[in-house]
Amino acid sequence: MYRILIVEDDRGIAEAIREQAVQWGLDARCVEDFRNVLSDFASYEPHLILLDIALPFFNGYHWCSEIRRVSKVPVIFISSASDNMNIVMAMNMGADDFIAKPFDQNVLIAKVQAMLRRTYDFAAAVPVLEHRGALLNTGDNTLTYGGEKIDLTKNEYRILAALMENKGKVVSRERLMERLWESDSFVDENTLTVNVNRLRKKLDGAGLSGFITTKFGVGYLIG
């Protein structure tokens, strides 16, 4: 079932869209926290986003730009600010379509379904893991924080992915070494320690201090 994330602060409009989407066999969720849209995006892993321009705290252009840093998921703007300047700006920010308010609900859902068919007939949604604002794209193995990409080696990516897939849980050193063994290189206890330390330095340098916590004699977790 396709998942639609609705980023619209008018509760009545957002709920009406959600209900219409459900009637057409789609799964839909309305964003609640407009300070941290990326958190909902990462946890819900939507196949398409409906995004208003005028939002509390940060506008739709900001969130479209942030989403585009980590994902190619289709974004359709829905806004009453439908003059040419706003439409052009939305497209330049990475939007795939622009639908002016007021709109017919059936027409909106028809456009959503058409976009989904075009996008996912031959492709699958790429999950994004999120913690403390850090976004790990498992499609291209990139980490983004504060709008900046952090370069990771293959081993660093494997370690971080294992930890972020198990948020709140300790991941044993043995399990992490199994993830590293997925590569062709020989991995021992020292290799793991070296890679974790290098990863920590990169995260600290990007402003993510204390992101990885050591549980001595057991393993690691993210905090």
Side-chain angles (χ1 to χ4, degrees), residues 3 18 33 76 82-83 87 124 145 151 174 188 212 214:
R3 296 180 297 277
R18 189 191 66 79
D33 182 5
I76 298 178
S82 56
D83 56 275
I87 294 173
Y145 178 69
D151 291 329
E174 290 77 15
D188 57 13
I212 298 176
T214 301

Side-chain angles (χ1 to χ4, degrees), residues 47-59:
H47 296 90
L48 183 143
I49 298 171
L50 293 173
L51 180 62
D52 193 10
I53 293 176
L55 296 168
F57 309 111
F58 303 98
N59 64 28

